[in-house]
Amino acid sequence: MKSLKRLFRPDSIAVIGGGTWCSAVIEQCRKMGFAGDIWPVHPKAEEVAGLPAYRDIEALPFAPDASFIGINRLATIDVVKALSARGAGGAVCFASGFLEAEAEDSEGADLQQGLLEAAGDMPVLGPNCYGFINYLDGALLWPDQHGGQRVEKGVAIVTQSSNIAINLTMQKRALPLAYVVTCGNQAQTGLAEIGEALLEDDRVTVLGLHIEGFGDLRAFEALALRARQLGKQIVALKVGRSAQARAATVSHTASLAGGDAGAGALLARLGISRLYDLPSFLETLKLMHVVGRLPSTRIATISCSGGEASLSADTAHGRGVSLPALNDRQRTDLRAALGPMVALANPLDYHTYIWRDVDAMTRAFSAMVDPQLAMTLLVVDFPRGDRCDPSDWECVTQAAIAVRQQTGQPIAIVASLPELLPEDVAEQLLAAGVVPMLGLSEAMSAIEAAGLPLPELAHPLLLPTKSHPDPDLVPEGEAKAWLARFGLRVPRSKPARSVVAARAVAADIGYPVVLKGEGIAHKTEEGAVRLNLTCGQEVSDAAVAMPTDRFLVEEMVTGAVAELLVGVVKDPAHGFVLTLAAGGTLTEIMQDSAPILLPASDAALNTALDSLRIAPLLSGYRGAPPADRAAILRAIRAVEAYLVAEAEGLEEIEINPLLCTPSDAVAADALIRRKDMLR
């Protein structure tokens, strides 16, 4: 990997170009107290932003560590070439009109290739890149205003959106920002590579990623591994959840795995906590900055209002956050601190009897803290300072800080309304190790994300092969035969090419049988499947009613305690997505699914199965026998083995339903779509 240290932590900065953008870069570095050299470069100007200008790269005193190139796209390539030849540490290419503009400008792709060749081994951010801010050293290759300040340590954020980067610097949540980096169109240096470089800075505590698309999957695997080696956490805001899922023209699997499922599966596999909105993203970064990853999501909340206690419970409901009942030690200590007038519970309304008594508040809050909890939340909304006197709330700030000092346990003050925790109070709390959290919903999202256990390290992803837009549908009998070669258990079956032949085959297999129409993907919807046929006449009648003259006759598998869907879809952006879901007629009704990227461990498969709403059926519901879990895993492994061996040309596999019995798992229906029908 190219070293980005000189670029992100420069001692010298060259600013190439004139005008407002380049002057702003110089001004922002001065404003933040950058201690290194700043060298404007302009072929005609005597000075830029009050600093003497150099006519070209060759005229600079030394090779610059970092360069902001704020000129047009054609001239950018020449400057990049000159910087690379001089041995510069890296550059931000501000100009647009490269590959990201290919749809409007046919020259874009050629220009981008020229840029890459000019850069050689020199790191380049962009093009179409706004630059970055290093708040640790005051080094800003940033052509605009921002809202941050110098810090000694903090979180690093990398984003694919320049405007979101600007907005994030304006946050008033007391979140200490160490770096804010935009990555442009990532012609050479990708988001994951940037993130890994920032994690190497000892002053960076947590990495936040705003992701529009992943790109190099191997780079993200390397990033996640390096974060784990360094003991640091990664938080992601991945957009695209609302995009239309790939049209399910043939199978349910494509619908379930389409759109965002692959992205979620990739982040989960890598152990990267995912958030879905900017406020929760920032609150999670702040929480992890202060206390790191939580050992669980077991919490307690304490407030002086029954309304806030109820709101806390409702906000936690339906999330992966639990509010365990008080234990005997908590009850004893709380009763001693609060007296007989307070009903003890979690969440706790401690009333206002002890308000303004810092010692009493400290005792009560400390009594609630317990090693069984990952965190204790004090729910407090402060009055607005422009119209009210907030001094009466200093008692709760002092008590929270005292509890943190006395117990050493994670403590947060949470405002139910985000605007009701003043920034100066939040900064005071943060400096004392108390997490200031803005918004109850955001706080619960942050706790849920921070408390997710890290998954075990997985084998490298099976990368997607070349996509084929019009894959062929493999006949069901042939699909089952292929999968059976890899260990999938399928019913005994024979094809039939006429109604008469279907009746004869059924007698040969033995009743009861299943009759299916061949060449039809959605058999149930098309009336092309009939179950539990017990005689020849029933077979004949069913065959005549089907919209085909080709049939598959199978043994009828009985005794299923549950039906599963096991499917694989090739996701060009994320790999091969395995979908486990409620099968049969429940697939569409329940929309109960769990996506996993392949290859997958047994632990990951079992976790996915246990996450389904039909999991109680698999475990034995109300005295019914459980499904054979080992047989289910064998069936999934058979699908995976076929995929690994025959990935080239494969687009999709679906087993629906997989009939799960107490002693077996049988693929009642199978679908394969691939381009090379000869395989």
Side-chain angles (χ1 to χ4, degrees):
M1 185 180 78
K2 302 179 298 295
S3 174
L4 301 177
K5 185 174 181 179
R6 285 179 66 195
L7 175 61
F8 286 136
R9 302 173 63 177
D11 291 323
S12 58
I13 297 174
V15 182
I16 297 101
T20 303
W21 300 113
C22 292
S23 295
V25 173
I26 296 171
E27 181 58 32
Q28 294 303 331
C29 283
R30 286 170 164 168
K31 187 176 179 181
M32 294 295 287
F34 177 62
D37 296 313
I38 304 175
W39 300 323
V41 177
H42 196 284
K44 297 178 181 179
E46 292 293 324
E47 64 176 40
V48 177
L51 294 178
Y54 297 84
R55 67 180 182 277
D56 54 32
I57 302 302
E58 289 73 19
L60 294 175
F62 306 100
D65 291 322
S67 300
F68 181 89
I69 307 175
I71 54 182
N72 70 67
R73 60 181 183 168
L74 298 176
T76 291
I77 296 175
D78 293 332
V79 168
V80 166
K81 186 174 182 179
L83 286 168
S84 179
R86 189 78 195 272
V92 169
C93 295
F94 184 62
S96 59
F98 291 83
L99 189 60
E100 80 283 352
E102 185 181 25
E104 297 81 24
D105 187 346
S106 59
E107 290 185 303
D110 291 338
L111 288 172
Q112 182 144 314
Q113 184 58 38
L115 179 69
L116 293 174
E117 292 172 357
D121 293 331
M122 184 184 73
V124 169
L125 299 188
N128 192 26
C129 178
Y130 223 62
F132 68 86
I133 303 172
N134 172 347
Y135 286 114
L136 300 163
D137 304 306
L140 291 85
L141 275 71
W142 189 257
D144 206 338
Q145 298 184 80
H146 64 92
Q149 60 186 353
R150 292 284 292 268
V151 297
E152 294 183 357
K153 66 176 182 177
V155 307
I157 297 178
V158 188
T159 171
Q160 293 179 259
S161 167
S162 300
N163 201 59
I164 284 180
I166 296 172
N167 296 341
L168 291 177
T169 72
M170 304 295 176
Q171 55 87 26
K172 296 182 179 181
R173 297 170 175 268
L175 175 66
L177 298 173
Y179 290 93
V180 175
V181 182
T182 63
C183 50
N185 79 6
Q186 304 177 77
Q188 180 211 67
T189 307
L191 185 148
E193 190 174 359
I194 294 169
E196 188 171 348
L198 299 179
L199 282 176
E200 296 290 347
D201 192 326
D202 292 338
R203 302 167 295 177
V204 169
T205 55
V206 189
L207 175 64
L209 303 176
H210 166 250
I211 305 171
E212 294 174 3
F214 288 96
D216 187 345
L217 297 177
R218 291 284 181 254
F220 273 89
E221 289 180 316
L223 169 64
L225 175 61
R226 187 59 182 146
R228 194 169 299 204
Q229 291 169 342
L230 293 169
K232 297 183 180 182
Q233 310 305 321
I234 306 175
V235 176
L237 174 63
K238 171 66 178 71
V239 298
R241 191 165 51 144
S242 61
Q244 291 294 326
R246 181 166 41 183
T249 56
V250 175
S251 73
H252 297 295
T253 302
S255 178
L256 293 171
D260 196 50
L266 177 60
L267 291 170
R269 181 188 187 94
L270 298 177
I272 297 176
S273 299
R274 183 181 187 181
L275 283 303
Y276 296 94
D277 60 80
L278 284 171
S280 298
F281 175 67
L282 294 176
E283 292 305 305
T284 305
L285 287 170
K286 188 196 307 177
L287 174 59
M288 288 189 169
H289 168 76
V290 179
V291 301
R293 187 172 287 271
L294 297 176
S296 72
T297 57
R298 295 163 59 86
I299 64 167
T301 76
I302 180 169
S303 63
C304 63
S305 161
E308 289 175 344
S310 299
L311 190 60
S312 298
D314 282 355
T315 306
H317 183 71
R319 303 173 187 256
V321 177
S322 64
L323 292 147
L326 300 176
N327 60 35
D328 291 342
R329 198 279 310 158
Q330 287 173 303
R331 286 185 169 278
T332 298
D333 291 352
L334 284 168
R335 182 61 69 210
L338 296 172
M341 300 294 291
V342 175
L344 302 182
N346 179 25
L348 176 66
D349 167 17
Y350 67 90
H351 300 280
T352 54
Y353 303 122
I354 58 174
W355 190 261
R356 301 186 186 89
D357 186 337
V358 174
D359 289 340
M361 295 172 79
T362 301
R363 288 194 298 272
F365 299 164
S366 296
M368 196 64 156
V369 175
D370 194 83
Q372 71 167 327
L373 303 171
M375 178 166 257
T376 301
L377 279 57
L378 315 178
V379 183
V380 184
D381 286 273
F382 291 76
R384 50 186 298 167
D386 58 339
R387 299 176 184 173
C388 305
D389 179 8
S391 61
D392 204 23
W393 271 252
E394 292 178 3
C395 57
V396 73
T397 302
Q398 295 174 23
I401 292 172
V403 172
R404 172 63 176 167
Q405 293 172 343
Q406 291 176 16
T407 68
Q409 297 294 311
I411 304 294
I413 280 188
V414 182
S416 60
L417 291 176
E419 61 269 28
L420 297 186
L421 182 48
E423 190 174 14
D424 60 335
V425 175
E427 290 174 345
Q428 179 188 359
L429 292 168
L430 192 76
V434 176
V435 188
M437 306 198 78
L438 283 72
L440 257 178
S441 180
E442 291 88 341
M444 295 300 178
S445 294
I447 291 165
E448 184 177 17
L452 287 174
L454 278 173
E456 62 183 25
L457 289 172
H459 292 293
L461 282 169
L462 184 61
L463 297 179
T465 55
K466 179 182 177 181
S467 292
H468 300 279
D470 297 307
D472 299 309
L473 180 64
V474 178
E476 181 184 350
E478 188 177 333
K480 284 180 174 175
W482 268 108
L483 292 168
R485 293 187 184 103
F486 290 86
L488 182 66
R489 167 81 163 88
V490 299
R492 289 182 294 110
S493 65
K494 288 184 180 181
R497 295 294 177 259
S498 68
V499 174
V500 173
R503 184 166 179 163
V505 168
D508 185 50
I509 288 176
Y511 296 106
V513 297
V514 177
L515 182 70
K516 299 177 179 179
E518 282 274 54
I520 299 172
H522 296 298
K523 292 182 177 62
T524 301
E525 291 85 340
E526 297 293 331
V529 58
R530 289 287 302 277
L531 307 178
N532 203 30
L533 302 176
T534 59
C535 67
Q537 188 60 49
E538 289 183 358
V539 172
S540 297
D541 293 344
V544 168
M546 289 185 182
T548 181
D549 57 3
R550 295 185 298 115
F551 308 98
L552 186 69
V553 185
E554 292 184 338
E555 68 169 305
M556 178 75 188
V557 178
T558 59
V561 298
E563 296 183 355
L564 285 174
L565 177 148
V566 179
V568 177
V569 169
K570 179 165 61 182
D571 183 334
H574 310 111
F576 286 92
V577 182
L578 168 70
T579 299
L580 302 178
T585 58
L586 295 179
T587 300
E588 290 183 344
I589 295 172
M590 296 190 68
Q591 291 291 301
D592 179 22
S593 64
I596 317 166
L597 289 175
L598 294 173
S601 66
D602 282 352
L605 295 176
N606 280 311
T607 298
L609 289 169
D610 291 338
S611 73
L612 298 176
R613 291 198 293 275
I614 65 164
L617 296 178
L618 299 175
S619 300
Y621 185 65
R622 291 195 171 184
D628 187 335
R629 181 64 68 97
I632 295 172
L633 293 178
R634 285 195 299 273
I636 297 171
R637 291 297 182 204
V639 172
E640 183 183 62
Y642 171 77
L643 167 65
V644 171
E646 302 290 342
E648 196 63 42
L650 180 66
E651 293 294 316
E652 183 178 355
I653 306 170
E654 178 174 288
I655 310 299
N656 187 24
L658 181 73
L659 300 175
C660 304
T661 77
S663 59
D664 209 347
V666 185
D669 198 355
L671 175 151
I672 294 177
R673 288 197 306 151
R674 59 181 311 126
K675 194 61 179 176
D676 47 348
M677 288 289 290
L678 295 178
R679 301 188 68 170

